[in-house]
Amino acid sequence: SDWGDEQSEIVDMHFGTLPKAMLTLLQITTADSWTAVVRPLVYQKPEFASYFIFFIGISAISVMNLVTAVIVETSISAAKNDQDAAAQAHTQMMKEMLRQVELLIAKVDADGDGNVTKTELIKAYEAFDEVRQVVDQFCNIQEMVDLFDIFDDDGSGSLTMKELREGLTSYRENPVRCIVGHLTRH
């Protein structure tokens, strides 16, 4: 053979059996002293350079793809968890706000009929801090008076608990859609 003693020893030590060849290729993939294995072989047979360059390129790309896949999968999972947590927090916040709206109606409903008129709303806003706090979470009092007609689906001049709850929820989530929806219905 045209191998020298040094090259024959390297081939036998690093590629003599399948497990040795696999370990050597892993060593080359991880760039762990791989030049000590490859350089003497390439000096003796330069055509081996293309094989090792091809192998290093493919194995490096494969390792980078695996690392990238793990990073992307972790990022997607974290984003999904963040999105779920945000949705849960939003749901909790809306439940608390709706509870406050129910208390608001009880406070504002002067005649006890379960409905709120504009007059009752304005008087309660001016008289009670807790009514001001609840209304101000959604909008200012002038906007609330303006929204009153939008929320009043049946045109009765007063808001039921359902109309107020649905109107405030819709307005809080997407004010433009709430107003445009009202305009297209009427």
Side-chain angles (χ1 to χ4, degrees):
S1 154
D2 52 350
W3 290 106
D5 288 340
E6 179 186 5
Q7 288 84 9
S8 293
E9 187 179 317
I10 289 173
V11 168
D12 195 41
M13 182 186 331
H14 295 287
F15 297 98
T17 64
L18 183 60
K20 285 181 182 179
M22 290 173 63
L23 186 60
T24 301
L25 291 176
L26 177 65
Q27 177 182 355
I28 292 170
T29 299
T30 60
D32 176 28
S33 304
W34 66 279
T35 56
V37 175
V38 173
R39 185 170 288 157
L41 299 177
V42 171
Y43 283 156
Q44 188 66 32
K45 293 207 177 237
E47 60 271 15
F48 282 177
S50 61
Y51 166 75
F52 287 115
I53 289 170
F54 176 76
F55 177 78
I56 290 168
I58 295 298
S59 63
I61 289 170
S62 298
V63 169
M64 284 189 292
N65 282 343
L66 286 173
V67 169
T68 302
V70 168
I71 291 170
V72 167
E73 182 61 32
T74 302
S75 297
I76 289 171
S77 177
K80 173 85 171 96
N81 290 342
D82 289 348
Q83 193 175 35
D84 291 346
Q88 189 175 22
H90 178 72
T91 300
Q92 281 301 110
M93 180 191 69
M94 289 306 292
K95 282 181 182 179
E96 175 58 23
M97 290 168 93
L98 293 176
R99 187 188 68 73
Q100 291 177 358
V101 168
E102 290 174 11
L103 295 174
L104 169 83
I105 286 184
K107 194 82 164 176
V108 171
D109 185 14
D111 58 9
D113 65 354
N115 296 329
V116 178
T117 65
K118 282 185 193 179
T119 305
E120 288 175 328
L121 181 62
I122 293 168
K123 285 181 181 176
Y125 184 86
E126 292 169 352
F128 302 110
D129 285 339
E130 55 269 16
V131 172
R132 254 190 310 282
Q133 289 172 352
V134 172
V135 170
D136 289 346
Q137 287 180 26
F138 295 95
C139 55
N140 65 45
I141 189 62
Q142 186 55 51
E143 288 173 326
M144 187 66 180
V145 169
D146 294 341
L147 290 170
F148 194 94
D149 294 326
I150 292 173
F151 296 168
D152 185 15
D153 286 333
D154 60 8
S156 65
S158 64
L159 295 178
T160 64
M161 175 63 182
K162 181 181 180 216
E163 288 173 327
L164 186 57
R165 181 177 45 237
E166 289 175 359
L168 288 173
T169 301
S170 174
Y171 185 76
R172 178 71 182 220
E173 288 178 357
N174 191 331
V176 173
R177 188 179 335 139
C178 175
I179 294 168
V180 170
H182 168 73
L183 294 174
T184 57
R185 283 191 307 268
H186 292 67

